[in-house]
Amino acid sequence: ACMPPFGWSCFLCDLAVEGEAGGGAASASAAKACDAGANLRVTPRDAFGRRAYLAPLGLTVTVEGGRLVEVELQPRGRRAVLRVAVHERARSSEASVFLEVER
């Protein structure tokens, strides 16, 4: 989520903010600008890595039988790429991803 004047933020995760595509890492002031053209890379750090809420999209992602490794988010393009890995203790090598959109 972007919270002016603090910029992009993330809870129970690591967040890397990059400028426009191909622009490289953004400066601290650019990260605080809430630039919708920024590319965000989110790495969940909660105990299970099963859920993420992507505020710019109003999207809740839940994974069962696996864990979210990383989410790449492009707010301007309204695009998210999820990287999911099999959970070490899962009984199956398959995972289910559930998407819930706020209306």
Side-chain angles (χ1 to χ4, degrees):
C2 191
M3 302 184 322
F6 305 108
W8 292 104
S9 61
C10 152
F11 302 97
L12 296 174
C13 59
D14 292 337
L15 174 67
V17 179
E18 300 172 353
E20 295 283 348
S27 67
S29 61
K32 290 184 179 181
C34 293
D35 179 15
N39 295 320
L40 310 175
R41 185 177 305 266
V42 178
T43 305
R45 295 292 178 213
D46 63 307
F48 300 105
R50 293 187 54 218
R51 297 187 68 165
Y53 176 68
L54 309 176
L57 303 179
L59 179 69
T60 300
V61 178
T62 305
V63 177
E64 290 186 6
R67 62 183 176 84
L68 279 171
V69 175
E70 184 178 76
V71 178
E72 289 182 28
L73 178 62
Q74 297 172 352
R76 179 172 290 154
R78 302 188 56 78
R79 179 175 183 231
V81 176
L82 309 174
R83 288 195 176 82
V84 178
V86 176
H87 193 278
E88 298 82 34
R89 296 181 185 230
R91 295 181 183 179
S92 171
S93 62
E94 297 179 5
S96 298
V97 177
F98 299 92
L99 306 174
E100 183 178 342
V101 179
E102 291 180 1
R103 292 280 172 176

